[in-house]
Amino acid sequence: MTVKRRNHGRAKKGRGHVKFIRCDNCYQACPKDKAIKRFNVRNMIEAAAKRDMAEASVYEAYDVPKVYYKQQHCVGCAIHGRIVRVRSRDGRRNRAPPPRFRDANKKPSAPTAA
C-alpha cells in the first residue's frame, strides 16, 4: 500500500496507544503525537501600553512578565489557521525546520536539507 508520510502523520513509533488532547480551536479529540504543537511567548501588555506604564512607573528598569502558552491544534485547524501549510510531495521530504525570524531587518536564509 502506498504511504503518504514516512511516519504516517504521527510520532508514535513503538507505543501502542497515545493519550488524546483537545484542540485549542475546535475542541476535537486528537492524539497527542499527531497534534500540531506551538509554544507561544508574548508580552503581557502591548508596546503602546508598555511605554505608558514605563512613564508612570516608579522603577526605572522593570521587565514586564511574559505569558507562556502551549498551543495544540488538530491537523484541520492548523491548516485552516495557517499554522502549517500544505506541501507538495517533494516538499514533504524536506525535514529541515522553517527559518526563524529574529530580526525584522534581516532577510531569512533558505533552510538546508540535511
Side-chain angles (χ1 to χ4, degrees):
M1 192 168 122
T2 57
V3 175
K4 194 169 186 180
R5 291 170 186 84
R6 70 184 240 167
N7 64 351
H8 305 288
R10 300 183 70 158
K12 190 165 66 81
K13 298 306 174 205
R15 292 175 279 280
H17 186 277
V18 178
K19 294 245 185 210
F20 279 77
I21 57 106
R22 293 292 184 160
C23 173
D24 286 343
N25 191 31
C26 67
Y27 213 65
Q28 178 184 358
C30 177
K32 187 177 180 183
D33 61 327
K34 189 172 188 171
I36 288 89
K37 295 170 277 293
R38 295 290 182 268
F39 201 71
N40 202 348
V41 181
R42 288 187 171 177
N43 288 323
M44 274 193 170
I45 56 173
E46 68 272 3
K50 188 175 183 180
R51 189 177 64 245
D52 294 340
M53 196 169 137
E55 291 171 359
S57 178
V58 178
Y59 304 107
E60 291 89 28
Y62 176 70
D63 291 333
V64 178
K66 295 183 181 296
V67 176
Y68 298 92
Y69 179 62
K70 186 173 185 181
Q71 293 179 320
Q72 297 176 324
H73 295 281
C74 64
V75 176
C77 287
I79 292 170
H80 182 72
R82 298 190 189 109
I83 296 163
V84 292
R85 304 276 174 139
V86 177
R87 295 192 292 176
S88 65
R89 183 177 292 177
D90 295 330
R92 286 196 293 268
R93 293 175 192 268
N94 180 11
R95 302 184 72 221
R100 302 186 81 176
F101 301 111
R102 285 285 180 196
D103 193 7
N105 301 342
K106 282 186 181 178
K107 287 190 175 181
S109 58
T112 56

